[in-house]
Amino acid sequence: MRVVVCIKQVPDTTEVKINPETNTLMREGVQSIVNPFDEFAIEEGIRIQEKFGGEPIVITMGPPQAEEALKTALAMGCDKAYLVSDRAFAGSDTLATAYTLASAIKKIEQTDGPVDVVLCGKQAIDGDTGQVGPGIAVRMNIPPLTYVSKIREIDPEKKTIIVERLMERGKEVVKCSLPVLITVVKDINSPRYPSLFEIKKAAKKPMIKLGLADIGIPENRTGLKGSPTWVNKVFSPELKSVNGEIFQGDPEECAVKLVDRLINLGKGVSL
Amino acid sequence: MSYVTINKEACIGCGACVDVCPQSALYMKDDKVEVNEKCNLCGACIDACPVNALSIPREIKDSACLADYRGVWVLVEHDGKKPVNVTYELIGEGRKLAEKRNTYVGVVLLGNNVSHMIDDLGSYGADKVFLCQSPVLEHYRTEAYGDVIVDMVKAYKPEIVLSGATTQGRDLAGFVATILETGLTADCTGLDIDENGNLLQTRPAFGGNIMATILCPNTRPQMSTVRPKVFPVPEKTDKKPEVINFDFDFSKITIRTEVLEYLPFEEKISLADAEIIVSGGRGLGKPENFEIIKEFADTIGAAVGASRAAVDAGWISYEHQVGQTGKTVRPKIYIACGISGSVQHLAGMKHSDIIIAINKDPEAPIFKVASFGIVGDVMTIIPLMTKELKKRMNA
Ligand SMILES: Cc1cc2nc3c(=O)[nH]c(=O)nc-3n(C[C@H](O)[C@H](O)[C@H](O)COP(=O)(O)OP(=O)(O)OC[C@H]3O[C@@H](n4cnc5c(N)ncnc54)[C@H](O)[C@@H]3O)c2cc1C
Ligand SMILES: Nc1ncnc2c1ncn2[C@@H]1O[C@H](COP(=O)(O)O)[C@@H](O)[C@H]1O
C-alpha cells in the first residue's frame, strides 16, 4: 500500500487583517502554516500506512520555503518528502497546479512504485477552491472521491475502498476501486502533534527536490503559461452600512421595542 | 520563469505595492521597488500601484476560435425529484449574462427518469434543456456525469458553464474543467461580462479578507461554481423550453465508483430553507447558553445557526455553521446573537433581507449591517424577548 499526501503551505488567514484606513492587506506577523485541511490528509495517510504497512510520501508544490511545511509532515510521521519547486511553476492556477502535481506523482511512481491512494485536503484556505484534488485525479486517470469524512474499509487484496462522503444534506457511502484520489474534511480524524523525538528524527528523512526538468513537462503547461485563469483585480470587500435602528439602555425596554419590530417584520413571514 | 514586471521609469517609490503584497515579495531599494523569488504572480500589487508601473507578462491568444462558443449553461443539481434552489438562482443569473451576450440559456439535466423536471426548468427561464437519461446516471457519480458533460460541451460549445458551489457542483466542475483544459473559478459571489465576452468572476480569497476578480480570456467555456443564496430565485413564467436529447454511449467509459447508500441528516428546520435564522456566537460564553437561543428560535419558528467560533468551541455541530467555510444563507430575517460580524461570517449571511444584531459591544462590525439591534447582554435580552413574544402570541 502506497500513499501520497499533497499538502500546501498557506498564509494563516485567521491572522490576515485588512487595514481599515488604507483598505489593504496587513501581512505583518502573518505566519505560513500547513493548510489546516491537509493536516487531516497527513494524519489519514499515516493511519492507512500504519494499518497496511508502507511509508507515506508527502509532496508539495511551492517556493523553496515550502520545505517547512514538508518538515511538519515528516515530523508527524511521513517518511519521505518531495518539494516540487521551480520558477517555471510560479503563477500556476488550479489547472496548472493539478497538472504539475499529477506529473510529479507519476514521476515518483517510477522510483517509489505505484501509488494506491492520493490524499488531499478538501480545499486550501488561501484560495478555497477545492479544485486541485479532482484535477490531479483526472490527470492521473484515477477516480476522485471528494469530501470524505470516513474511510470505512480498504481491501488491499481486491483493491477496493469504501468511504463516507459528507454532503450538504446527508452522507453518501461509496465503493470504489484502487488507485483513488481522496479529499478529506475535518471530521475524518484528529491530527497528531509531533513529539520532540519525531521532530529530531524528521531531520534525517529524505527531502527530494523536483524541478521542471526532473519532472519533464513542457514549460507551457505549467506556471503562468499553463494557467487559463487570470487574476484581474484584487480589492477589499466593502461593507455598506445600513444605518439601522440600534437600541441601547434598559434591557426590558429594548427587548420590547425589538419584539415590536420583529412582529412587524414577521407579518410577511410565518411568525 | 517570470515575476511581476516592474517599469522602473514609472515607479515613484511610494511603496503601496509593498504593503499589499501577500507574499512579501516586493521591497524598496534606492527608492524603487524590487521583486524577489517569493513572487507568485498573484497580481495584488497591480491595482495598488497608483502609476501603473507593475504588470504581469501575459499572452493573449487569437480570439477567433473563441467566437464559436455561444450560450450560457447551468448544470442542474437535483435530488431525483426536483432541482435544488441554486439551480434556479443560476438560471436567473445566467439569463442576465445571456442577454448581454445575445444568446440562450441552456441547462444540463442528467439522471434516470428526470424528464418531469423539464417544464419546471423552462418556467424559471431555461431556453434549452440538454437531457441525458440512463440508469447509469441514477446516482450522481463524478466520472459518469463528468464524461457526459464533457461530450456535450464539445458538441454544443457553450461560452459559459455555471454550477452551484455545492459539494456536487464543485466536484463535477473540477473534473470537467480539467478534462476540457479550461479555466474554472470557484465559489463566485459576483458575475458580470465585459465587452469582449470575458466573464468577470468575483470571489472571496484569503478567508474572505480580500475579493478577487478572475478572468479566463484564452479558453472556452468559461467555467464557474457559484455560491448558493447569493442570487435570487427568478420569477416563474409559463415558457416551454426546447429539449435536446443527448445520446451517450456508456459502454465506452469505465465507472469505478458505486454508491452503496445515502444517509440523510435529521434536521428540524434546515438552515438552507429557513425564513428566519437565529445564530449564536462566542458571546454566548458556554454551550448551555445555546439553549436560550434554541428556545427563542422555537418560539418564532426559526432555524438555529452559529459562528465558527461557537462551532470550534464544540457548542454546536458543524452543520449549523454559517459563513465562508459554513453555509451561505439568505433568510428573510437573520438574528445574530453574540456574533462580532467578521468578514468570514458576513460572507455567509450578508444577503439576508433583514439583519438583527444583539451584542454588548456597540462597536461590533455586525451593527454596520444590522437594520435593528440592541446593545446589551444576550443572556439578558434573549430571555426577555422570548417572554415578551410568548406573551404577545398568547394575547
Ligand atoms: C479561512 C477562514 C474561514 C472562516 N470561516 C468562517 C465561517 O464560515 N463562519 C464564521 O462564523 N466564521 C468563520 N471564520 C472565523 C471568523 O474569522 C471569526 O473568528 C468568527 O466568525 C468569530 O465568531 P464570533 O463572532 O462568534 O466570535 P467573536 O468574534 O469572538 O465575537 C463575539 C461577539 O460577542 C459579543 N459578546 C460577548 N459576550 C456577550 C454577551 N454576553 N452578550 C452580547 N454580546 C456578547 C462580543 O462583543 C463580540 O462582538 C473563518 C476564518 C477563517 C480564517
Ligand atoms: N501547491 C500545492 N502543492 C501540493 N498540494 C496542493 C497544492 N495546491 C493544492 N494542493 C492540494 O489540493 C487541495 C485543494 O487545494 P485547492 O484546490 O487550492 O483549494 C489542498 O488541500 C492540497 O491537498
Side-chain angles (χ1 to χ4, degrees):
Chain A
M1 187 70 59
R2 190 163 283 103
V3 179
V4 170
V5 188
C6 301
I7 69 167
K8 187 179 186 187
Q9 191 183 44
V10 294
D12 185 352
T13 52
T14 41
E15 300 297 321
V16 179
K17 294 265 150 55
I18 296 278
N19 179 334
E21 263 131 53
T22 56
N23 250 345
T24 52
L25 218 57
M26 300 195 297
R27 55 177 163 71
E28 255 137 77
V30 177
Q31 289 199 328
S32 289
I33 53 169
V34 174
N35 176 37
F37 293 110
D38 300 351
E39 290 187 357
F40 301 97
I42 297 170
E43 177 65 36
E44 203 59 25
I46 298 169
R47 287 188 192 185
I48 294 173
Q49 304 270 241
E50 280 170 350
K51 194 157 170 197
F52 298 99
E55 306 197 317
I57 296 170
V58 60
I59 178 171
T60 191
M61 167 176 145
Q65 64 268 27
E67 196 178 317
E68 287 308 311
L70 293 175
K71 283 186 188 153
T72 307
L74 291 177
M76 281 175 74
C78 291
D79 289 291
K80 195 173 187 183
Y82 284 92
L83 175 63
V84 180
S85 191
D86 198 305
R87 281 304 311 161
F89 303 150
S92 291
D93 70 358
T94 55
L95 189 78
T97 301
Y99 174 75
T100 310
L101 281 171
S103 309
I105 296 171
K106 284 192 246 173
K107 193 78 205 173
I108 293 170
E109 288 189 312
Q110 289 174 12
T111 49
D112 298 52
V115 171
D116 301 287
V117 180
V118 180
L119 283 162
C120 286
K122 91 165 179 159
Q123 58 190 231
I125 60 165
D126 53 351
D128 275 326
T129 81
Q131 289 168 189
V132 169
I136 294 174
V138 168
R139 290 281 167 260
M140 293 184 68
N141 190 23
I142 60 177
L145 294 176
T146 50
Y147 307 101
V148 169
S149 58
K150 186 175 182 176
I151 295 181
R152 278 198 180 175
E153 61 171 71
I154 296 179
D155 187 332
E157 300 294 304
K158 294 205 188 87
K159 293 244 163 219
T160 56
I161 184 168
I162 298 176
V163 302
E164 292 177 10
R165 296 181 62 220
L166 184 65
M167 321 287 284
E168 278 84 3
R169 293 180 178 80
K171 283 188 177 174
E172 192 184 72
V173 185
V174 188
K175 185 176 175 184
C176 184
S177 61
L178 296 177
V180 70
L181 180 135
I182 290 175
T183 78
V184 302
V185 297
K186 73 174 179 190
D187 300 24
I188 195 162
N189 57 40
S190 356
R192 67 192 69 186
Y193 291 104
S195 67
L196 217 56
F197 172 70
E198 293 291 341
I199 295 171
K200 273 204 189 127
K201 226 170 78 184
K204 298 200 187 71
K205 292 178 179 174
M207 169 85 67
I208 301 152
K209 215 185 133 191
L210 297 177
L212 183 77
D214 305 311
I215 304 175
I217 51 174
E219 214 187 310
N220 64 359
R221 295 210 49 192
T222 183
L224 205 57
K225 291 197 183 114
S227 299
T229 59
W230 300 5
V231 178
N232 188 46
K233 205 170 115 187
V234 179
F235 55 99
S236 299
E238 56 172 307
L239 254 195
K240 50 174 194 297
S241 250
V242 295
N243 283 324
E245 217 181 332
I246 310 297
F247 308 117
Q248 220 159 343
D250 179 56
E252 199 125 4
E253 277 172 32
C254 288
V256 170
K257 281 192 218 159
L258 192 54
V259 166
D260 279 342
R261 304 296 185 278
L262 197 56
I263 287 182
N264 240 333
L265 289 170
K267 287 196 175 122
V269 190
S270 48
L271 247 181
Chain B
M1 334 248 153
S2 37
Y3 306 98
V4 66
T5 309
I6 299 166
N7 178 346
K8 287 261 168 75
E9 308 272 282
C11 176
I12 52 170
C14 69
C17 54
V18 177
D19 292 339
V20 299
C21 175
Q23 319 299 332
S24 311
L26 297 171
Y27 59 98
M28 301 306 289
K29 199 178 153 204
D30 303 332
D31 284 341
K32 300 277 175 191
V33 64
E34 299 263 346
V35 59
N36 67 23
E37 76 294 335
K38 288 185 190 157
C39 172
N40 71 350
L41 294 160
C42 77
C45 54
I46 313 274
D47 292 306
C49 178
V51 293
N52 297 324
L54 298 162
S55 58
I56 289 184
R58 307 239 192 227
E59 298 164 37
I60 296 212
K61 288 190 194 140
D62 181 16
S63 62
C65 55
L66 302 185
D68 295 347
Y69 289 80
R70 305 291 297 156
V72 178
W73 281 17
V74 174
L75 307 181
V76 176
E77 180 173 340
H78 61 78
D79 60 5
K81 296 184 203 84
K82 75 189 271 293
V84 298
N85 267 330
V86 66
T87 296
Y88 302 134
E89 295 158 20
L90 291 184
I91 295 174
E93 190 59 19
R95 170 101 268 141
K96 288 190 202 149
L97 300 172
E99 273 161 17
K100 288 194 185 145
R101 293 298 288 158
N102 232 330
T103 184
Y104 70 93
V105 177
V107 298
V108 175
L109 177 58
L110 308 186
N112 192 23
N113 300 323
V114 290
S115 51
H116 61 276
M117 288 179 232
I118 291 171
D119 285 345
D120 182 52
L121 291 162
S123 69
Y124 283 98
D127 300 306
K128 300 183 186 188
V129 177
F130 296 87
L131 177 70
C132 184
Q133 301 193 90
S134 159
V136 180
L137 301 173
E138 172 79 35
H139 296 288
Y140 169 76
R141 286 182 293 172
T142 321
E143 292 176 288
Y145 275 56
D147 287 334
V148 173
I149 292 169
V150 166
D151 273 15
M152 276 187 178
V153 167
K154 286 184 181 160
Y156 294 98
K157 296 191 182 336
E159 188 175 15
I160 292 170
V161 177
L162 308 175
S163 79
T166 56
T167 49
Q168 178 177 319
R170 282 174 159 222
D171 182 84
L172 182 59
F175 185 86
V176 169
T178 311
I179 298 181
L180 293 170
E181 302 208 6
T182 192
L184 169 61
T185 303
D187 221 15
C188 297
T189 54
L191 295 174
D192 202 353
I193 208 143
D194 74 6
E195 64 280 11
N196 303 321
N198 286 316
L199 189 61
L200 307 172
Q201 307 164 95
T202 298
R203 65 180 305 262
F206 286 104
N209 290 296
I210 59 171
M211 302 296 291
T213 303
I214 317 270
L215 300 184
C216 173
N218 288 335
T219 56
R220 292 290 180 272
Q222 308 172 82
M223 293 185 62
S224 343
T225 62
V226 181
R227 184 171 277 222
K229 300 272 177 182
V230 170
F231 299 113
V233 172
E235 296 287 326
K236 273 182 104 159
T237 63
D238 47 17
K239 199 169 85 183
K240 292 273 180 293
E242 177 190 342
V243 179
I244 294 108
N245 277 298
F246 190 78
D247 279 328
F248 186 86
D249 176 11
F250 286 96
S251 67
K252 75 177 181 187
I253 59 167
T254 40
I255 301 161
R256 294 164 284 193
T257 50
E258 182 191 343
V259 178
L260 301 181
E261 60 181 320
Y262 181 75
L263 314 162
F265 296 133
E266 286 169 29
E267 273 180 287
K268 221 169 162 190
I269 308 172
S270 105
L271 269 185
D273 311 317
E275 291 201 310
I276 312 176
I277 294 173
V278 182
S279 281
R282 185 160 18 218
L284 291 179
K286 50 181 187 223
E288 300 84 84
N289 289 337
F290 248 101
E291 293 308 317
I292 299 176
I293 298 292
K294 283 180 187 155
E295 193 191 347
F296 177 57
D298 278 345
T299 314
I300 56 175
V304 176
S307 74
R308 181 163 118 178
V311 172
D312 283 355
W315 301 346
I316 190 162
S317 65
Y318 173 68
E319 284 98 75
H320 295 270
Q321 184 175 320
V322 171
Q324 172 86 3
T325 41
K327 291 190 169 130
T328 309
V329 297
R330 196 179 184 145
K332 296 217 164 72
I333 305 175
Y334 187 90
I335 308 177
C337 308
I339 292 179
S340 60
S342 66
V343 276
Q344 294 89 2
H345 191 77
L346 292 172
M349 44 60 80
K350 68 178 172 202
H351 294 284
S352 308
D353 293 351
I354 299 280
I355 294 168
I356 296 178
I358 298 161
N359 194 307
K360 67 177 182 192
D361 174 10
E363 302 299 323
I366 191 79
F367 283 122
K368 273 201 186 143
V369 295
S371 300
F372 301 100
I374 296 178
V375 178
D377 190 325
V378 273
M379 261 68 81
T380 322
I381 303 287
I382 293 294
L384 284 172
M385 285 184 69
T386 310
K387 203 175 97 197
E388 181 68 19
L389 271 161
K390 283 189 174 151
K391 197 170 91 194
R392 304 244 194 137
M393 280 170 174
N394 290 335

